[in-house]
């Protein structure tokens, strides 16, 4: 990083301040490899863009793509200004890619072109549930404001799926797989009725969190604990602990709550819970005045 910084010979206004900012970023963020150093690389790229601007050079591929657009929709000038600001990282959102998507899609709508896959999907809907028109407007706005990739269009797909669920509800149809799973549960623990209501709200995207998958996990695990079943890998790991450090009981309860609140895929992907276990292990080592943990060993080995 420092070699890259020291090689710069830019002359644009505020280069010195940007240099110091990049230097501080180097100090504040750990380093893996040049390929994974996105934040720092973005800083270098932005400095390069600013130098091109100071030289009145618009050959950067982003500006070349922007300058090639033919726009006539009302307010296009403001959209172009926002895209330039995004190019120079002067605004956080929308980023440049999203700005270009917005400009192109606004122009398409202005000239009556509705061939985009999202618009084709929206135009095919014939739902009748209450508030469908409002949901349709929100989906169209989402289409304009978020860039598109057919493989990664999860947010828009979720909007379509939620509209489908609402139409099913209006038709008194509870055959959706999520509701079928929900209704198949046999629950007896105290407060299960409220949790079922929460899961239904999650199914219809009426709440942000917990989502439906997490709601199902919460109910299943609460029922297991109510029945005395502690066979879940997380609970097995917790129950095996015999720590004596101060506040262990509170940390145990916090970890138990984390288990209930977060859905589970596998031990390899369970980073948050594994971090809690590791922190408890560290606290026990501290209580025993043991500094053999690799992190403390590396810290103690520094000559400063």
């Amino acid at each position: 990083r420092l070699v890259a910084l020291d090689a710069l010979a830019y002359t644009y206004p505020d280069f010195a301040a940007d240099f110091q900012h990049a230097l501080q970023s180097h100090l504040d963020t750990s380093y893996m490899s040049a390929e994974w150093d996105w934040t720092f690389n973005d800083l270098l790229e932005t400095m390069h863009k600013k130098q091109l601007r100071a030289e009145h050079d618009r050959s950067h591929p982003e500006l070349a793509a922007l300058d090639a657009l033919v726009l006539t929709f009302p307010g296009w000038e403001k959209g172009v200004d926002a895209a330039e600001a995004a190019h120079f990282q002067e605004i956080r959102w929308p980023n440049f890619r999203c700005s270009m998507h917005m400009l192109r899609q606004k122009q398409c709508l202005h000239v009556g072109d509705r061939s985009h896959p999202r618009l084709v999907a929206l135009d095919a809907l014939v739902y009748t549930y209450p508030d469908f028109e409002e949901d349709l407007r929100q989906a169209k706005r989402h289409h304009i404001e978020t860039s598109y990739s057919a493989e990664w269009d999860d947010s828009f797909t979720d909007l379509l799926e939620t509209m489908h669920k609402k139409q099913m509800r209006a038709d008194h149809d509870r055959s959706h797989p999520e509701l079928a799973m929900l209704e198949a549960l046999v629950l007896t623990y105290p407060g299960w009725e409220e949790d079922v209501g929460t899961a239904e709200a999650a199914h219809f995207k009426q709440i942000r969190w917990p989502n439906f998958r997490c709601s199902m996990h919460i109910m299943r695990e609460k029922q297991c604990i109510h029945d005395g079943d502690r066979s879940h890998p997380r609970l097995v790991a917790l129950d095996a602990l015999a720590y004596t450090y101060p506040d262990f009981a509170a940390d145990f309860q916090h970890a138990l709550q984390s288990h209930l609140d977060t859905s589970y895929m596998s031990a390899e992907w369970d980073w948050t819970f594994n971090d809690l276990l590791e922190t408890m292990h560290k606290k026990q080592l501290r209580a025993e005045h043991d500094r053999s943990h690799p992190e403390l060993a590396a810290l103690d080995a520094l000559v400063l």
Side-chain angles (χ1 to χ4, degrees):
R1 285 174 176 171
L2 295 180
V3 170
L5 278 177
D6 290 344
L8 300 179
Y10 294 152
T11 57
Y12 68 85
D14 299 324
F15 167 59
D18 286 351
F19 185 96
Q20 289 302 315
H21 176 61
L23 179 60
Q24 192 62 48
S25 175
H26 162 62
L27 294 173
D28 291 344
T29 56
S30 56
Y31 179 80
M32 293 177 62
S33 69
E35 294 74 22
W36 291 84
D37 204 21
W38 299 308
T39 301
F40 190 80
N41 289 339
D42 278 350
L43 292 175
L44 293 181
E45 175 65 6
T46 300
M47 287 191 279
H48 173 61
K49 292 174 181 177
K50 288 182 176 181
Q51 183 62 29
L52 289 175
R53 178 172 59 183
E55 298 169 359
H56 307 288
D57 182 344
R58 294 182 66 85
S59 64
H60 190 281
E62 288 184 351
L63 292 184
L66 180 61
D67 292 342
L69 293 179
V70 178
L71 304 172
T72 58
F73 68 86
W76 66 267
E77 299 92 342
K78 184 176 180 180
V80 167
D81 289 343
E84 288 221 16
H87 169 73
F88 293 111
Q89 302 284 333
E90 295 170 346
I91 57 175
R92 289 184 175 273
W93 192 258
N95 60 25
F96 184 81
R97 179 185 175 186
C98 190
S99 294
M100 290 293 288
H101 169 83
M102 291 170 67
L103 291 170
R104 289 174 176 138
Q105 289 311 307
K106 285 182 177 181
Q107 182 63 28
C108 284
L109 290 173
H110 179 65
V111 299
D113 179 357
R114 300 181 67 84
S115 62
H116 191 284
R118 286 174 174 169
L119 295 179
V120 171
L122 286 177
D123 290 343
L125 300 179
V126 288
Y127 293 152
T128 57
Y129 67 84
D131 300 325
F132 167 58
E133 292 299 328
E134 176 59 27
D135 287 350
L136 187 61
R137 281 191 291 271
Q138 288 186 13
K140 289 178 179 177
R141 179 178 177 182
H142 178 87
H143 161 62
I144 291 173
E145 293 180 350
T146 57
S147 54
Y148 175 77
S149 166
E151 295 76 21
W152 293 92
D153 205 23
D154 299 333
S155 297
F156 188 80
T157 301
D158 279 349
L159 291 175
L160 293 180
E161 174 65 7
T162 300
M163 286 191 279
H164 174 60
K165 292 174 181 176
K166 288 182 176 181
Q167 184 61 37
M168 293 182 74
R169 178 174 59 185
D171 295 338
H172 307 288
D173 180 351
R174 294 183 66 84
S175 63
H176 191 281
E178 288 184 352
L179 294 182
M181 284 192 296
L182 181 61
E183 292 179 351
L185 293 177
V186 178
L187 305 172
T188 58
Y189 65 86
W192 67 267
E193 300 91 342
E194 182 179 349
D195 288 346
V196 167
T198 298
E200 286 223 15
H203 169 72
F204 292 111
K205 302 289 186 180
Q206 294 169 336
I207 56 175
R208 289 184 175 271
W209 193 258
N211 60 24
F212 184 81
R213 178 182 176 183
C214 190
S215 294
M216 292 293 289
H217 167 82
I218 290 170
M219 289 185 289
R220 287 172 176 145
E221 288 309 307
K222 283 185 176 181
Q223 186 63 40
C224 284
I225 292 173
H226 179 68
D227 293 340
D229 178 357
R230 299 180 68 86
S231 61
H232 192 284
R234 287 173 176 169
L235 296 180
V236 171
L238 278 178
D239 291 343
L241 301 179
Y243 294 152
T244 57
Y245 68 84
D247 299 324
F248 167 59
D251 287 350
F252 185 97
Q253 289 302 315
H254 176 60
L256 178 60
Q257 192 63 48
S258 175
H259 162 60
L260 292 175
D261 290 345
T262 55
S263 55
Y264 179 79
M265 294 177 62
S266 69
E268 294 74 22
W269 291 85
D270 204 22
W271 299 307
T272 301
F273 190 80
N274 290 339
D275 279 348
L276 292 174
L277 293 181
E278 174 66 6
T279 299
M280 287 191 278
H281 174 60
K282 292 175 181 177
K283 288 182 176 181
Q284 182 63 26
L285 289 175
R286 179 174 60 184
E288 296 170 359
H289 307 289
D290 182 346
R291 295 182 64 85
S292 63
H293 190 281
E295 288 181 353
L296 292 183
L299 180 62
D300 292 343
L302 293 177
V303 180
L304 304 172

